[in-house]
Every structure is written in structure tokens, then in C-alpha cells.
């Protein structure tokens, strides 16, 4: 008889932990949906900014940089030898230890 009473008590007492978990999950999903909606709104506005960026980029690319000198080749031709490989790979022993 006592076990029948305890079973009845369990069915009467609501499971508040389960309800709390469900509410917390629901709140998290609502927050994520709100975040995704804000991101979609930003992406809709991005198209206009992207067009302006492309226009600015085309203007910048066509004009030379005023801070860089205009040269048709290396200022000092011997400078390039540091970036070129050895003409004779068997003659260069700088990588052999």
C-alpha cells in the first residue's frame, strides 16, 4: 500500500528539471534564430557595400601608388642575383652540411 502512495506522489509532482531543460533549450534556439536573422539582415545590406568596394578597388588599381617609385626593372641589376637560383646546381654547396 505504501508503494502505491509513493507512485501516486511521483505522478502528481511535476518534473521541474525536465521543464527547465526544455525551456533552456527553447531559449537557446530562439537566441540562435535571432542571431541568424540579424546575420541575414546584414548580408542583405552587404550587396550595396560590395558594389562600392568593387568600384573603389578598380579606381585604386588603375592609379599608381604615389609613395612607390616608378621603375621599369630592378634599380640595381645585381640585386636580382640574390633571388635567383644557382646556375649550376652541383656547384652550389651552401645547402650541403
Amino acid at each position: 500500500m505504501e508503494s502505491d502512495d509513493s507512485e501516486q506522489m511521483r505522478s502528481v509532482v511535476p518534473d521541474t528539471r525536465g521543464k527547465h531543460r526544455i525551456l533552456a533549450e527553447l531559449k537557446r534556439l530562439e537566441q540562435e534564430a535571432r542571431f541568424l536573422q540579424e546575420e541575414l539582415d546584414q548580408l542583405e545590406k552587404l550587396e550595396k557595400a560590395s558594389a562600392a568596394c568593387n568600384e573603389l578597388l578598380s579606381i585604386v588599381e588603375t592609379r599608381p601608388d604615389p609613395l612607390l617609385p616608378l621603375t621599369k626593372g630592378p634599380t640595381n641589376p645585381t640585386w636580382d642575383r640574390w633571388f635567383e637560383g644557382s646556375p649550376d646546381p652541383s656547384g652550389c654547396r651552401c645547402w650541403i652540411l
Side-chain angles (χ1 to χ4, degrees):
M1 178 133 190
E2 200 172 301
S3 65
D4 290 336
D5 289 337
S6 63
E7 284 184 29
Q8 286 178 350
M9 288 296 290
R10 281 189 216 146
S11 63
V12 173
V13 177
D15 183 13
T16 57
R17 291 180 299 176
K19 183 178 180 180
H20 176 73
R21 287 182 187 144
I22 291 171
L23 288 174
E25 181 67 19
L26 180 63
K27 192 172 190 175
R28 186 189 68 78
L29 289 173
E30 287 173 346
Q31 184 179 13
E32 187 175 341
R34 191 171 43 251
F35 172 74
L36 290 173
Q37 184 62 45
E38 289 172 3
E39 193 171 349
L40 281 174
D41 293 341
Q42 289 177 354
L43 287 174
E44 288 175 356
K45 296 174 187 176
L46 189 62
E47 184 179 334
K48 295 175 185 174
S50 180
C53 289
N54 285 334
E55 182 181 340
L56 179 65
L57 184 61
S58 66
I59 292 170
V60 170
E61 286 178 339
T62 57
R63 296 184 182 172
D65 190 343
L67 300 177
L68 295 176
L70 293 176
T71 58
K72 297 294 181 195
T75 307
N76 186 353
T78 59
W79 180 254
D80 280 347
R81 72 184 176 108
W82 295 105
F83 298 106
E84 295 174 355
S86 173
D88 183 20
S90 63
C92 180
R93 300 189 184 273
C94 56
W95 298 108
I96 301 172
L97 296 175

